[in-house]
Every structure is written in C-alpha cells, then in structure tokens.
DNA sequence: TATTGTTATACTCTATAACTATA
DNA sequence: TATAGTTATAGAGTATAACAATA
C-alpha cells in the first residue's frame, strides 16, 4: 500500500532515549514546577504566573504592565486579565505613572506583601524538593548555571543568533503551522 | 476607600528580583527552547512536541500512545490528534500490538527516521546555543544535573512528597481555580 | 503618529465524556 | 468490569483587532 518502508527498529541502541533529550528534561521540570506551585499557592489568581507577578510587584520592580508581560513572556492582554484578578483579590494595585500617565505601575498591597511572605516559604519548599536529588554542594553551582542560561535565553539576540547558525532557519518566519484540529 | 494599605516600596532591596526566581528561570528557558525548536523543525506537526514523539518513535521506545502521552505530560486525547498529524505527514506509524490488540505501538517510518536525522542536527544547534553561555567545561556537569532534576521531577512520588512537606498542601486537591475570564 | 492599556472577539489548545474494541 | 484509543463537544487559554487615553 505504502511506499514508505518499515520503521527502523533499533538493533541495539542507535540514539538517545526520549529522556535524554534536552527538551524532555526542561519540559518535565517546568511541568512539575508549575503543577506543584499551582497547589502551593492555593487560590492566588494565575497560580505560578500570579505568584511571579506578585513577587515582582512586592519588590517594586514590576514596572509597567507591558514591561512585566514581556519579562514573563505573555501577551499584554493576558497581563490585563491576570492583573484584574490579582487586583480583585486585593494583592496588587495599579498606580498611574505621573511621569507618563499611559503607564500603570504595578505594586503589591500590604495584604499582597504579607501573602507573598507565606507563598515564598511554600514555593521555596517546592524548589528545594525539586533540587534535593542533587548533592548539597552542587545546588548552588546548578542554580548559578541555570540562571545564566535563563538570562542568556531571555535575550532577543540569542534567538536571532540561532537563526544565523542553522541554515534555512528563521524564527520570524512562522512556518504557518496549521491548527491541530478544527 | 480601601482598607488595604499602601504597597511596600523597597527601601533598599528586600528580596530577590523576578529574575532570581526559579520559576522565572525555568520558564524563560522553556519558552526559548520551544520557540527556537518550533522554527527549527519547520513544518513537523506538533513542533517541539512532535519532535520528541518522533525521536521516541525512531528509537523504538515510544511504546503505547498512553505511555508516551504520560511521559510527555499530555492528555491521551491530545496524543491521538498529534499522532494523526504525524502519521498524515508520513513520519510515524501506528502498529497494533499483537500481544494486546488494544495498544498501538508508535514507530517511525523510514522517511520519519531520515527526517529526524536532520532535525536532530538543527535542534542540537539550538541546544548548544542555549548553553553556550556556560564555560565549556561546565556544560557536561550542567546537563548531568539538569537530567537528574528532570528525572526526579518526573516521579509521581516527588509531587506527593512535596505535599507532606508543605503544611496544608495537597496537589490532588485542585483549589477549584476559577477561569480567568468568561 | 506612536504607545499603553482595555475590551470584544475569534482562535487554538486542552480536557471531559461518551463510544468502540479489546481484555 | 477495566483499559487503549477515538471522537464529539465543551471549556480554558491565547492572540488579534479595534478602541480610548496619553504622549
């Protein structure tokens, strides 16, 4: 029927297992973190994402909605909805920026700051538990390296450079991927 | 108007920045990986997820659809749609398992295996570029540690243990989170 | 005119439930 | 009865586009 041949059954072991793929590893950690934090933060709107927004707001470094949305890799409209919920829960406030009244400064309320203190403890336990497979003396170095990679990955230039490295590769050219079903 | 007080502006620096949060770091890396691989694999259905499925299929270790779905953290119905697309693209095949005819064994076609070889190169470049901020001698140890954490995070028992550590914390009890807007 | 934020809407992805077939 | 896979459908998340306010 089909001219495409039979699958290549591995005679022994030809390549890496699924679990050896970088994408598998990073995805597994990300999913576990999100799921655990989701439960740890209870009814905080936006779950792990809401926690990060609250953390930034409490440090007074959240900046404008747009800036915050970009840092978290979400659309600015999504940030609007998320902040609606966090504000309704009394955790954060939108402050008009006197310097540029188009901007809204995102800050934590007193209640938000207090709530965050508890959340930090709980989320901290989640993190600790995720990393407790590593020998204690490795955790510091691991975090340092993870942070360095994250910082690198966040840069616009990084994705752009990948495009130059891979022939016929262009991030901006979305290959007009069809929807999965519909 | 409101009895909730003013936000706590940081007098100096009270806590970690957003970028210091584990959740920020892991999310940033995950997003960058997904985005870059999405472009790198071109028209492969399912993008980074499709790549992982194809990789598992080509090694003959994908097993049943359900097993594969669980390893990738997706619903079994989602796996059905994803495999529909990959099969339509001629990259994988569903083989009925003679031992238990309810199961479908997922295997790569010859075309799929050939395509995967190219994809591995391209995805490999993406990975290399993400990690090239680390000094060369650190990349191996970093991967080893990342894999260990991923393996640990994938275990059912890990999430369960987190529940015992955090007081009043239960993953299975989804706190009936309301939809974000609707 | 360009930008921030909002709103309405459409779209995409995911999950739920019902069904078939195997066991 | 229980499980793997499929299908239909509803639901949740996201993005697009049009708008108001400000620069």
């Amino acid at each position: 029927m089909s001219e495409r041949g039979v699958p290549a059954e591995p005679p022994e072991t030809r390549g890496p297992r699924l679990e050896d793929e970088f994408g598998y590893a990073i995805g597994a950690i990300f999913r576990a973190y999100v799921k655990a934090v989701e439960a740890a933060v209870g009814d905080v709107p936006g779950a792990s994402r809401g926690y990060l927004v609250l953390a930034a707001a409490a440090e007074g470094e959240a900046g404008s909605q747009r800036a915050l949305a970009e840092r978290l890799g979400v659309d600015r409209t999504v940030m609007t909805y998320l902040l609606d919920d966090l504000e309704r829960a009394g955790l954060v406030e939108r402050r008009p920026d006197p310097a540029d009244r188009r901007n809204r400064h995102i800050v934590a309320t007193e209640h938000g700051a207090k709530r965050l203190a508890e959340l930090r403890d709980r989320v901290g336990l989640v993190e600790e538990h995720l990393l407790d497979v590593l020998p204690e003396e490795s955790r510091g170095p691991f975090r340092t390296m993870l942070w360095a990679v994250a910082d690198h990955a966040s840069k616009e230039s990084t994705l752009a450079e990948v495009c130059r490295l891979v022939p016929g590769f262009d991030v901006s050219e979305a290959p007009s991927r069809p929807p999965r079903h519909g």
Side-chain angles (χ1 to χ4, degrees), chain A:
Chain A
M1 289 305 115
S2 130
E3 72 291 273
R4 26 186 169 93
V6 295
E9 300 278 2
E12 303 181 336
T13 304
R14 296 188 333 152
R17 296 172 310 137
L18 174 57
E19 279 74 8
D20 295 325
E21 289 279 345
F22 180 85
Y24 174 87
I26 201 73
I29 299 171
F30 181 72
R31 286 196 308 273
Y33 173 84
V34 166
K35 188 172 175 184
V37 170
E38 207 161 285
V41 301
D43 59 359
V44 171
S48 62
R49 194 178 276 169
Y51 165 75
L52 290 177
V53 168
L54 181 57
E59 299 305 326
E61 51 102 10
S64 71
Q65 296 185 195
R66 169 176 278 272
L68 189 54
E70 272 164 16
R71 284 208 280 172
L72 290 174
V74 303
D75 195 84
R76 64 190 173 129
T77 65
V78 172
M79 184 56 70
T80 294
Y81 300 133
L82 178 52
L83 289 171
D84 285 347
D85 296 341
L86 288 168
E87 201 166 32
R88 200 163 18 238
L91 298 170
V92 305
E93 278 180 17
R94 287 164 159 115
R95 295 266 185 94
D97 178 355
D100 183 341
R101 298 215 314 286
R102 290 174 300 185
N103 291 352
R104 308 289 189 90
H105 227 79
I106 307 305
V107 289
T109 62
E110 211 170 294
H111 172 233
K114 241 181 275 180
R115 190 75 204 277
L116 177 64
E118 309 161 12
L119 296 179
R120 273 204 212 281
D121 290 342
R122 296 163 79 90
V123 173
L125 283 172
V126 169
E127 293 178 24
E128 268 177 43
H129 198 71
L130 283 177
L131 300 186
D132 69 6
V133 263
L134 301 178
E136 203 170 344
E137 68 273 16
S138 301
R139 290 173 207 162
F142 177 71
R143 292 183 92 99
T144 302
M145 290 191 272
L146 192 77
W147 267 232
V149 173
D151 183 60
H152 180 56
S154 306
K155 288 187 174 54
E156 266 307 311
S157 53
T158 299
L159 270 177
E161 279 175 46
V162 175
C163 296
R164 289 193 297 103
L165 286 173
V166 185
F169 177 116
D170 189 355
V171 176
S172 58
E173 161 231 310
S176 79
R177 194 173 297 283
R180 270 230 326 282
H181 63 286

